[in-house]
Amino acid sequence: MDLTIIGPWGGYPKVNEASSGYLLDHDGYTVLLDCGSGVLSKLQSLVQPESLDAVMISHYHPDHIADIGVLQHARLIKGYLGVKMECLPIYAHPFNQHEFTNLTYKQITKGMAYQPEDILQVGPFSVRFLRTNHPVECYAMRFEAAGKSIVYTADTAFKEELIEFSNEADLLLCECNFYGQQEASKAGHMTSTFAGKLAHEAKVKQLVLTHLPHYGRLEQLKEEAASIYQGPIQLACFGLKCQI
Ligand code: ZN
């Protein structure tokens, strides 16, 4: 299973970069995980929009869904140009009907409701969900394939249930929108310290920090997480590829 970072930025994209977007690949099946602002542009230097097999959306904040519309346009126009492709499933929760409806566009994309209490099969991945602590309904996801696991926290304040949910994951892709001494939970986000605590208590094999803040010295996030978690830690950046 491969994870590739498209967009590591929280809130909005840094200049010439992207907010939340990640590629998961296994056995030639490619999932785009979240589709924030800037993702479609950055994505194209790694994979063509028509090559995606599925999209999964954690929640409907713009830094996670802003580029859905242009992804739909890209696949529509590539179709006019003769590129053959199937209707793209976009898996998302159905608890915001207005936003969910926008995921379906002509025969180009189709919104597919995941039910958070069920295990969902997406290509080779089985996916479990956990409701996070965030101002809007949002779901963390645990992907398993071929005996390996990746947990994506999506956006969330720290909550105890994340520890069990992330238990012994091969990789934890953890949001880290605040520095250690800041108050993050009221905003529905995590600090580097909580990311380290989650990685440590869940005994994950490696930690990737993402949904990064636009200020400060990012290496400090790693240092703060490393004061609690002893395993390997990386900061998400465009093009970072993790093979597990
Ligand atoms: Zn959010």
Side-chain angles (χ1 to χ4, degrees):
M1 208 188 316
D2 293 343
L3 168 72
T4 308
I5 308 297
I6 307 280
W9 298 105
Y12 65 97
K14 196 167 171 172
V15 64
N16 294 329
E17 298 207 21
S19 56
S20 302
Y22 313 91
L23 290 172
L24 272 181
D25 286 280
H26 184 64
D27 263 355
Y29 191 95
T30 303
V31 175
L32 174 64
L33 179 53
D34 282 341
C35 188
S37 178
V39 164
L40 196 78
S41 174
K42 299 302 286 183
L43 171 101
Q44 290 173 85
S45 52
L46 300 171
V47 65
Q48 291 308 304
E50 61 268 31
S51 302
L52 298 175
D53 294 299
V55 178
M56 297 204 64
I57 298 297
S58 62
H59 69 301
Y60 297 108
H61 273 157
D63 53 330
H64 296 255
I65 58 159
D67 273 14
I68 289 288
V70 290
L71 170 62
Q72 291 164 333
H73 284 173
R75 289 182 65 110
L76 176 70
I77 292 165
K78 296 263 184 160
Y80 290 154
L81 297 174
V83 179
K84 294 265 183 287
M85 69 197 99
E86 304 282 312
C87 184
L88 179 70
I90 304 180
Y91 295 91
H93 74 68
F95 309 119
N96 179 326
Q97 203 53 51
H98 170 71
E99 295 287 2
F100 181 75
T101 301
N102 289 337
L103 302 178
T104 297
Y105 177 64
K106 304 180 186 260
Q107 298 301 311
I108 303 297
T109 62
K110 181 165 176 52
M112 306 280 283
Y114 57 69
Q115 299 300 329
E117 63 278 7
D118 295 340
I119 296 176
L120 178 72
Q121 196 67 35
V122 178
F125 302 101
S126 56
V127 191
R128 289 197 291 130
F129 301 91
L130 178 71
R131 173 90 191 256
T132 73
N133 276 356
H134 199 56
V136 301
E137 193 146 358
C138 175
Y139 290 89
M141 300 176 200
R142 181 179 179 119
F143 296 84
E144 304 206 347
K148 301 287 187 182
S149 52
I150 290 179
V151 171
Y152 170 49
T153 62
D155 286 10
T156 186
F158 179 79
K159 61 187 279 188
E160 288 293 326
E161 293 93 327
L162 280 165
I163 297 170
E164 169 67 26
F165 188 72
S166 308
N167 187 44
E168 296 188 355
D170 292 284
L171 188 148
L172 174 63
L173 178 60
C174 189
E175 81 119 282
C176 184
N177 208 29
F178 287 86
Y179 290 87
Q181 298 309 312
Q182 291 181 290
E183 167 53 58
S185 59
K186 285 202 186 80
H189 287 292
M190 259 192 273
T191 63
S192 50
T193 312
F194 276 117
K197 174 184 164 77
L198 175 57
H200 174 70
E201 295 194 8
K203 304 184 185 70
V204 304
K205 302 207 174 55
Q206 61 171 304
L207 172 63
V208 177
L209 301 175
T210 194
H211 206 280
L212 303 172
H214 288 265
Y215 52 87
R217 186 176 61 84
L218 296 178
E219 282 295 315
Q220 184 183 329
L221 298 169
K222 257 173 82 172
E223 292 159 12
E224 289 166 344
S227 70
I228 299 169
Y229 172 67
Q230 314 302 319
I233 306 175
Q234 297 183 84
L235 284 174
C237 61
F238 170 70
L240 175 68
K241 188 167 183 174
C242 304
Q243 293 177 310
I244 64 161

